[in-house]
Amino acid sequence: MADGAGMAAETERMIERDGAKEPESAASGGETRKEMRVVLLTGFGGLNKLRVAKKAMPEPQEGEVKIRVKACGLNFLDLMVRQGNIDNPPKTPLVPGFECSGIVEAMGENTQGFEIGDRVMAFVNYSAWAEVVCTPLDFVYKIPDDMTFIEAAAFSMNFVAAYMMLFEVAALREGMSVLVHSAGGGVGQAVAQLCSTVSNVTVFGTASPFKHEAIKDSVTHLFDRNIDYVPEVKKISPEGVDIVLDCLCGENTGKGLGLLKPLGTYILYGSSNMVTGETKSFFSFAKSWWQVEKVNPIKLYEENKVMAGFSLLNLLFKQGGCKPVRSAVEKLFSLYNQKKIKPLVDSLWALEEVKEAMQRIHDRGNIGKLILDVEKPPTPLVTVTLYSFKVK
Amino acid sequence: MADGAGMAAETERMIERDGAKEPESAASGGETRKEMRVVLLTGFGGLNKLRVAKKAMPEPQEGEVKIRVKACGLNFLDLMVRQGNIDNPPKTPLVPGFECSGIVEAMGENTQGFEIGDRVMAFVNYSAWAEVVCTPLDFVYKIPDDMTFIEAAAFSMNFVAAYMMLFEVAALREGMSVLVHSAGGGVGQAVAQLCSTVSNVTVFGTASPFKHEAIKDSVTHLFDRNIDYVPEVKKISPEGVDIVLDCLCGENTGKGLGLLKPLGTYILYGSSNMVTGETKSFFSFAKSWWQVEKVNPIKLYEENKVMAGFSLLNLLFKQGGCKPVRSAVEKLFSLYNQKKIKPLVDSLWALEEVKEAMQRIHDRGNIGKLILDVEKPPTPLVTVTLYSFKVK
C-alpha cells in the first residue's frame, strides 16, 4: 500500500474520442516496422515487474487476423496474472492483456470474413497490451460504425460476461431481482445496464461509498461494500433475490446461495478477493481458495437452487466456446445500436502508465472501465482528490 | 426381494378410459357419506405397513377445494416416504400421495375460480391416496376437456417437474442434448416428450434392457442402465451433453458434471438410489447421502458449468412456488391441447393393490406412470412374464 500510494495519483483525462478518425500515421508505415511497443511482465509480483519494451512484431499465421491496436482493456484478472495468482500461469516474460480494439492490418491464410481496414474488437490469449496483435479470427468481431475504439475495448469482456451470465447461465426475465458486487466496476456497470433492458428488474449493488453518487442512477439499491449486505437486502426483499453475481468468492458463496429465492441462480464469475497485496502471498491465496465452502448437491435439491460458475476466458481459449460468445456479441451490438447500452469508461492510460492504472483498479478507485490507449503519450500527473472524481 | 417377488406378479390391465363418462354412483351420495376409503401407512417400513382403511372425510377449510378423487399418481418418492427415507418425515399413521385428479365437490370460503363439477388435477401435501381430498386452491388446476382423469394424475408431477427442469432451470434450446436416467419412468418419458417439442434435440437415456423396445422411439440413444454410460455417451458425443438430469445421486453427480459441455447444466432432481431394500436401512441411506461428492464452486467457475437441484414438492409446499408452477402447468396444457405431449401410463391399480404397484416401481418394472384408480375394483392377479409386458 505504501508503495502504491504515490502511484495512485489521479489525473483528469479526456475519455471521449471519435474512433473513426484515426491519424494516418498509425495505420501507414506498419509494414516496414519490425518492432512494436508492448507492456512486458518480466516476472510475477508487484508493479515493478511491469515495463514498456520493444518486441518483434508478430505476423498472422493461418486463420489469424493481424490488428493494429488502438485500445486495450484492463481487468482485475490482469492483476491476478501479474501476481501469478492463476491456475497454470504461463512463463514470464510475457505480454499481459486479453482484449483490444483496432484496425485489421493483415490476414493469414483462410481468414474469410475480414478485410484490411476493418474496425474490430478482439479477444487474445495474452499479448493484448501491444501495438500489434495477431489472434484467430474466431475471436475477432467487426464493431458497429458508431462505436469508438475506446468503447470497443471497454465493451468486450465486461459486456459479454455480463450478458452471458444474465441471459445464458441465468435467464433474466421481467420482474426479477439481481445482486451484483462491485457495482461500480466494469462488469458491475455492464450488469446494471443490461438489467435495465428488461422491464421491472431490481438491481441490488455493493460499492465503495465514494462511488455511490456516480452510479446511483444505474442501480436500484446501493449498499456500502464494507457492511454486511445480507440483512440490508432482506430488509427490502425478505424472500431474497433471483440472481446473485459474485466476483468476490470465499465467505460470499454461502451468503449468496443463502440469499437466493427458490429457482434462483448464484454465479461465481471471478475471485477478486484473491488479490490482497502488492506481491503474491501464497498464504492469502490459499486462504481464499480453501475457504470456499464446498456445496452438497442435495442442499441445492432441497432448496431448489442453482449454482454456476462463469469464466469467459476459459470458455474462449480452453473450451472452444467461440460460437455462443459470438452469438452474445451480436445481440450486444444490436443493443448498442439501439442505444440501450454504452460502456462506461473510467479513464485512459498510456502504455507507460500501466502501473498507475493497475494501482487504481487494485485500490478500487475506478468507476467503469480502465483503458490502455496505445497512441496516448504519458500525461504529466495531476493529482486530484478521489472524492471529487466524476465520470463526465 | 423374496418377500416382494410374489407380489410383483404382473397383470394385464386396461389403461384406456373416457374420463368424461364417470358412473353416477361415484359422484352422487357423497354428501351423506362421512367416511372415505384411504391408503394408510401405519408406520415406516416395508409393504406390510400399507393397508386400505376408512377415515373421516375432510371438509374444505378457507381457501381450500374439496375434490372427489378419481385417480392418484404413484411416484418413486412414495417409496421413500414409506421407508421414512426423507428429511423430517411426518408422523404415522398417514395417508401417502402427492397428486390426484377428480371433480370439485365443494369449496371453502375465498376460493374464487372454481365451481362444483370442475374437472381438476391437484397437488396435495400428503393424503392424495383417498376418495376425497381437500387442498388449497393454489395447488388445483382445471384440466383440458380432452384429458382423462387417468392422464391428469399421470401428468401433474412428472410433466411439471420435467418442464421446469428443462425450460426454467436449464434453458433447453434447438440443437441441444439431454441425458436422462430412468428414461422409461414417468419423469423420463415426460422429459423425452418435451425434448421432442424442440427441434433437433438429442436425448440420451438409460433404462433396463427389457424396456428398450417399448421406449426406443422416444429417445435418440438408449443405454443399458447397468453399464457405465459415460464412455457410451462420449463415443457418440465426445464434447459431452448440454443438460444432465439425474434422479440417481451418489457417484452419478461427479459423472454427470463430468459429462457436461461448457455452459451445460446438471440437475439433481431425486435420489432413487436411496431406496435399496424392503425396509429402511439406515446404513444404505447414510451411504448414499454422504457419498454425494460436494462440489467446489471454483471448479464450476473453471469449467463453466451449472449445478442445480430441483424438488417440485419443496417448491410447492415449503417455498411458496405456486406461481411458477401454475405458469408451467398452463404451458403444458397448451402443449397437450396441441397433441404434442401425452402422458404414458404404465398400469392402473386399485387402492387395495397399492403394495403390488409399489413393488413394481421398486423393481423398476414400469414403463411410464403407475396410477391408483380409486374406483377400480381389485383385479384377480394374472401372472405374465415381465419380458412380454407391453404398453398398449
Side-chain angles (χ1 to χ4, degrees):
Chain A
M1 198 59 159
D3 174 42
M7 286 188 238
E10 305 302 328
T11 55
E12 284 199 325
R13 293 159 205 285
M14 286 283 289
I15 62 166
E16 290 292 333
R17 167 181 299 201
D18 182 359
K21 292 178 199 158
E22 292 303 317
E24 285 196 5
S25 60
S28 67
E31 295 304 320
T32 54
R33 280 156 61 182
K34 297 287 172 205
E35 285 199 322
M36 61 173 184
R37 286 160 63 237
V38 303
V39 172
L40 201 69
L41 182 68
T42 56
F44 298 118
L47 293 171
N48 60 336
K49 304 289 187 185
L50 289 164
R51 63 181 173 85
V52 173
K54 295 262 181 185
K55 220 187 152 193
M57 187 177 293
E59 288 305 319
Q61 306 300 303
E62 185 177 347
E64 283 189 348
V65 177
K66 180 182 178 185
I67 300 165
R68 175 66 54 173
V69 178
K70 299 294 182 182
C72 314
L74 201 159
N75 296 292
F76 212 100
L77 182 64
D78 298 310
L79 276 71
M80 296 175 64
V81 168
R82 194 197 74 212
Q83 298 191 340
N85 268 348
I86 51 169
D87 244 9
N88 302 315
K91 282 185 183 155
T92 53
L94 62 83
V95 176
F98 299 103
E99 60 181 343
C100 65
S101 62
I103 295 173
V104 173
E105 193 167 276
M107 282 101 67
E109 286 175 54
N110 294 320
T111 47
Q112 273 100 29
F114 290 95
E115 286 179 25
I116 292 172
D118 279 347
R119 304 171 68 247
V120 296
M121 73 179 195
F123 295 110
V124 201
N125 198 5
Y126 294 98
S127 300
W129 295 354
E131 287 180 308
V132 168
V133 150
C134 289
T135 195
L137 79 165
D138 274 347
F139 308 136
V140 185
Y141 316 84
K142 287 184 210 168
I143 61 176
D145 292 341
D146 290 343
M147 186 178 268
T148 65
F149 290 116
I150 302 296
E151 283 180 331
F155 192 83
S156 31
M157 278 184 69
N158 290 356
F159 272 86
V160 171
Y163 184 92
M164 294 190 78
M165 290 193 288
L166 290 174
F167 296 105
E168 303 284 326
V169 180
L172 180 63
R173 290 187 299 270
E174 190 179 336
M176 281 188 169
S177 52
V178 177
L179 170 67
V180 61
H181 297 293
S182 305
V187 176
Q189 281 296 298
V191 165
Q193 288 189 25
L194 286 169
C195 284
S196 75
T197 67
V198 178
S199 69
N200 195 25
V201 168
T202 303
V203 181
F204 298 92
T206 68
S208 304
F210 80 91
K211 299 187 187 182
H212 286 205
E213 181 59 26
I215 64 172
K216 68 182 192 314
D217 292 340
S218 61
V219 177
T220 324
H221 303 284
L222 256 180
F223 308 118
D224 180 349
R225 70 177 293 274
N226 302 305
I227 63 162
D228 182 4
Y229 52 87
V230 174
E232 300 300 315
V233 172
K234 291 220 160 154
K235 247 186 260 170
I236 297 163
S237 178
E239 71 279 21
V241 297
D242 293 295
I243 300 172
V244 172
L245 302 176
D246 189 359
C247 61
L248 300 172
C249 206
E251 59 167 330
N252 285 283
T253 300
K255 283 164 79 168
L257 280 172
L259 262 181
L260 287 182
K261 286 183 192 175
L263 302 179
T265 303
Y266 167 89
I267 308 178
L268 176 67
Y269 70 96
S271 35
S272 61
N273 266 359
M274 288 183 192
V275 179
T276 50
E278 251 314 286
T279 53
K280 178 175 176 175
S281 152
F282 179 76
F283 176 73
S284 68
F285 173 58
K287 190 164 167 270
S288 293
W289 183 273
W290 293 112
Q291 271 188 347
V292 175
E293 194 194 347
K294 291 189 182 179
V295 176
N296 189 328
I298 291 178
K299 185 182 157 73
L300 300 176
Y301 161 74
E302 288 171 345
E303 299 183 355
N304 277 303
K305 288 179 177 176
V306 182
M307 180 171 78
F310 185 75
S311 160
L312 179 58
L313 295 179
N314 282 358
L315 182 64
L316 281 169
F317 300 126
K318 289 187 185 169
Q319 296 156 2
C322 334
K323 214 174 141 187
V325 171
R326 187 166 295 277
S327 161
V329 168
E330 283 163 11
K331 285 166 194 157
L332 284 163
F333 283 168
S334 165
L335 289 170
Y336 177 86
N337 286 331
Q338 296 167 53
K339 301 198 190 306
K340 288 186 176 168
I341 55 174
K342 186 178 174 67
L344 179 64
V345 176
D346 176 71
S347 47
L348 306 183
W349 308 79
L351 292 186
E352 289 76 6
E353 296 165 334
V354 66
K355 294 181 194 180
E356 292 91 328
M358 274 208 172
Q359 189 62 43
R360 178 167 174 80
I361 211 169
H362 177 277
D363 295 342
R364 301 174 186 275
N366 60 304
I367 297 174
K369 185 85 170 192
L370 282 87
I371 298 291
L372 295 178
D373 180 352
V374 176
E375 292 165 359
K376 179 180 180 295
T379 313
L381 293 179
V382 180
T383 307
V384 296
T385 54
L386 269 177
Y387 290 87
S388 69
F389 184 84
K390 241 182 143 176
V391 175
K392 290 184 192 170
Chain B
M1 200 56 161
D3 175 40
M7 287 188 237
E10 304 303 327
T11 55
E12 282 200 328
R13 293 160 204 285
M14 287 282 290
I15 62 166
E16 289 293 332
R17 168 180 297 203
D18 181 358
K21 291 178 200 158
E22 294 301 318
E24 285 197 7
S25 60
S28 66
E31 295 304 319
T32 54
R33 279 155 62 183
K34 296 289 173 209
E35 285 200 323
M36 61 174 184
R37 284 161 64 240
V38 301
V39 172
L40 201 69
L41 181 68
T42 56
F44 296 118
L47 292 171
N48 60 337
K49 303 291 186 184
L50 288 164
R51 62 180 174 87
V52 173
K54 294 264 182 184
K55 219 186 150 194
M57 186 177 294
E59 287 306 320
Q61 306 299 303
E62 184 177 347
E64 284 189 347
V65 176
K66 179 183 179 184
I67 300 166
R68 173 67 53 175
V69 178
K70 300 292 181 183
C72 313
L74 200 158
N75 296 292
F76 210 102
L77 182 64
D78 298 310
L79 277 71
M80 296 175 64
V81 168
R82 193 197 76 211
Q83 297 190 343
N85 268 349
I86 51 168
D87 243 10
N88 303 315
K91 283 184 184 156
T92 53
L94 63 83
V95 177
F98 298 103
E99 59 181 344
C100 64
S101 62
I103 294 175
V104 173
E105 193 167 276
M107 282 99 67
E109 285 176 51
N110 295 319
T111 48
Q112 273 99 29
F114 290 95
E115 285 177 26
I116 291 172
D118 278 347
R119 302 172 68 248
V120 296
M121 73 178 194
F123 295 111
V124 201
N125 197 6
Y126 293 98
S127 299
W129 295 354
E131 287 180 309
V132 169
V133 150
C134 289
T135 194
L137 80 164
D138 274 347
F139 308 135
V140 184
Y141 316 84
K142 287 184 209 168
I143 62 176
D145 292 342
D146 290 343
M147 186 178 267
T148 65
F149 290 116
I150 301 296
E151 283 181 331
F155 193 84
S156 31
M157 278 184 70
N158 290 356
F159 272 85
V160 171
Y163 184 92
M164 295 189 79
M165 289 192 289
L166 291 173
F167 297 104
E168 303 283 327
V169 179
L172 180 64
R173 289 186 299 271
E174 190 178 337
M176 281 189 169
S177 53
V178 177
L179 170 67
V180 60
H181 297 294
S182 303
V187 175
Q189 281 296 298
V191 164
Q193 289 189 23
L194 287 169
C195 284
S196 75
T197 67
V198 179
S199 69
N200 195 25
V201 168
T202 303
V203 181
F204 298 92
T206 69
S208 304
F210 79 90
K211 299 185 187 182
H212 286 206
E213 180 61 25
I215 64 172
K216 69 180 191 312
D217 292 340
S218 61
V219 177
T220 325
H221 303 284
L222 257 180
F223 308 119
D224 181 348
R225 69 176 294 275
N226 302 305
I227 63 160
D228 183 4
Y229 52 88
V230 173
E232 301 299 316
V233 172
K234 291 219 160 156
K235 248 185 258 170
I236 298 164
S237 179
E239 72 278 21
V241 297
D242 293 294
I243 300 172
V244 173
L245 301 176
D246 189 0
C247 61
L248 300 172
C249 207
E251 59 169 330
N252 285 284
T253 300
K255 283 164 80 169
L257 280 171
L259 262 182
L260 286 182
K261 285 183 192 172
L263 302 179
T265 304
Y266 167 89
I267 308 177
L268 176 67
Y269 71 94
S271 35
S272 60
N273 265 0
M274 289 185 191
V275 179
T276 51
E278 247 317 285
T279 52
K280 179 176 176 175
S281 150
F282 179 76
F283 177 71
S284 68
F285 173 57
K287 189 162 169 272
S288 294
W289 183 274
W290 292 112
Q291 270 188 348
V292 175
E293 193 194 348
K294 290 187 182 179
V295 176
N296 190 327
I298 292 178
K299 184 183 159 73
L300 299 177
Y301 161 74
E302 287 171 345
E303 299 183 356
N304 277 302
K305 288 179 177 176
V306 182
M307 180 172 79
F310 184 75
S311 161
L312 179 57
L313 295 180
N314 282 358
L315 184 64
L316 281 168
F317 300 127
K318 288 186 185 170
Q319 297 157 2
C322 331
K323 214 174 139 187
V325 171
R326 186 166 295 275
S327 161
V329 168
E330 282 162 12
K331 285 164 193 159
L332 283 163
F333 282 168
S334 164
L335 289 171
Y336 177 87
N337 285 331
Q338 295 167 55
K339 301 197 190 306
K340 289 185 175 169
I341 55 173
K342 186 179 176 68
L344 178 64
V345 176
D346 175 72
S347 46
L348 306 184
W349 308 79
L351 293 186
E352 288 76 8
E353 296 165 333
V354 66
K355 295 181 195 182
E356 292 91 327
M358 273 208 172
Q359 189 63 43
R360 179 167 173 80
I361 211 169
H362 177 275
D363 295 341
R364 299 174 186 277
N366 60 304
I367 296 174
K369 185 84 170 191
L370 282 87
I371 297 292
L372 295 178
D373 179 352
V374 178
E375 293 165 358
K376 178 181 181 293
T379 313
L381 293 179
V382 181
T383 306
V384 295
T385 54
L386 269 177
Y387 290 88
S388 69
F389 184 84
K390 244 185 140 175
V391 173
K392 292 184 188 171

